[in-house]
Amino acid sequence: GNSVTQMEGPVTLSEEAFLTINCTYTATGYPSLFWYVQYPGEGLQLLLKATKADDKGSNKGFEATYRKETTSFHLEKGSVQVSDSAVYFCALRSNDYKLSFGAGTTVTVRA
Amino acid sequence: DTGVSQNPRHKITKRGQNVTFRCDPISEHNRLYWYRQTLGQGPEFLTYFQNEAQLEKSRLLSDRFSAERPKGSFSTLEIQRTEQGDSAMYLCASSPDNSPLHFGNGTRLTVT
């Protein structure tokens, strides 16, 4: 079946530091890959997505590249801000309609 | 686009009671999903509607759980004879066809 494994947190960083959150997946077929973000007190929001191998999704300074050979979709940001403090979820959708989520990684950015 | 709306935001109930949650999807989104999220975990799929038809139910959805989407608009999720293990955040999401899901803020259920 489909599954997503992402880096365990929590992750604590200083402002302007580099952020990487690892995500690997197991899926049948050719899944679409997503990163969702949940800010404190808010619902899940789509951060970025990639629908095929070698696609790069990007938004708000975050990037992730769909790597079929390593079944990975690592999230990166070059310079984090306090406002990036949130829980980040990697997710995949295979040939059906369901999203399968990772466990989430809590990121705290200190000023 | 007013977003996906869920009510109530919080529900505290005693074990054995029935509870019902409501989800209003983004208008014209024909797909509606229910997920459950427990502390420290990602959301887990519960069930899915395309218009008014419930097309799949997860094995996580025991006989005590029932979901409906009359007329293909809002949806309700009912839990009968609640148990402490039902305590979780219940998330609703909607999408038009195969597009990414839009999530509501969830209903947090606490069973005492």
Side-chain angles (χ1 to χ4, degrees):
Chain A
N2 298 336
S3 68
V4 175
T5 302
Q6 64 180 100
M7 184 172 114
E8 287 188 20
V11 175
T12 302
L13 303 165
S14 297
E15 220 167 11
E16 299 183 2
F18 184 86
L19 170 67
T20 299
I21 304 176
N22 289 342
C23 171
T24 57
Y25 67 89
T26 303
T28 55
Y30 301 94
S32 295
L33 301 174
F34 305 85
W35 278 99
Y36 277 80
V37 60
Q38 190 168 32
Y39 298 105
E42 298 184 17
L44 282 164
Q45 301 174 24
L46 177 66
L47 180 59
L48 53 83
K49 67 174 182 176
T51 57
K52 60 183 188 297
D54 299 326
D55 268 2
K56 177 186 284 188
S58 61
N59 186 25
K60 299 183 181 181
F62 289 89
E63 292 183 340
T65 301
Y66 187 161
R67 301 284 188 202
K68 192 170 186 295
E69 64 275 15
T70 54
T71 61
S72 65
F73 193 53
H74 305 321
L75 183 69
E76 297 181 337
K77 185 172 185 180
S79 177
V80 293
Q81 304 300 313
V82 172
S83 58
D84 294 323
S85 298
V87 184
Y88 293 83
F89 294 92
C90 185
L92 72 83
R93 185 174 63 200
S94 190
N95 294 332
D96 56 13
Y97 40 81
K98 289 181 292 188
L99 278 176
S100 299
F101 286 88
T105 302
T106 300
V107 173
T108 302
V109 180
R110 299 175 304 193
Chain B
D1 180 354
T2 57
V4 177
S5 176
Q6 292 189 246
N7 288 289
R9 288 295 303 273
H10 304 276
K11 179 70 177 178
I12 301 173
T13 191
K14 293 185 177 179
R15 189 175 52 190
Q17 298 295 304
N18 299 344
V19 293
T20 300
F21 311 140
R22 178 179 169 120
C23 171
D24 288 89
I26 294 171
S27 60
E28 299 179 358
H29 280 194
N30 59 348
R31 297 187 176 189
L32 186 146
Y33 310 77
W34 284 99
Y35 282 79
R36 182 172 68 187
Q37 185 178 14
T38 53
L39 199 62
Q41 299 298 315
E44 297 173 295
F45 172 81
L46 291 179
T47 191
Y48 157 65
F49 290 84
Q50 176 131 353
N51 299 312
E52 66 276 9
Q54 187 174 20
L55 298 186
E56 185 171 343
K57 291 171 60 173
S58 163
R59 65 181 185 278
L60 293 175
L61 222 60
S62 76
D63 291 345
R64 297 184 295 107
F65 288 71
S66 62
E68 295 182 343
R69 193 184 182 195
K71 304 178 184 178
S73 55
F74 72 92
S75 176
T76 57
L77 177 68
E78 181 182 17
I79 309 174
Q80 295 183 325
R81 304 181 303 282
T82 52
E83 301 173 356
Q84 287 189 321
D86 297 331
S87 296
M89 179 75 85
Y90 290 84
L91 300 172
C92 178
S94 69
S95 72
D97 300 321
N98 236 9
S99 302
L101 275 58
H102 297 253
F103 282 85
N105 287 345
T107 294
R108 181 172 295 283
L109 173 66
T110 302
V111 181
T112 62

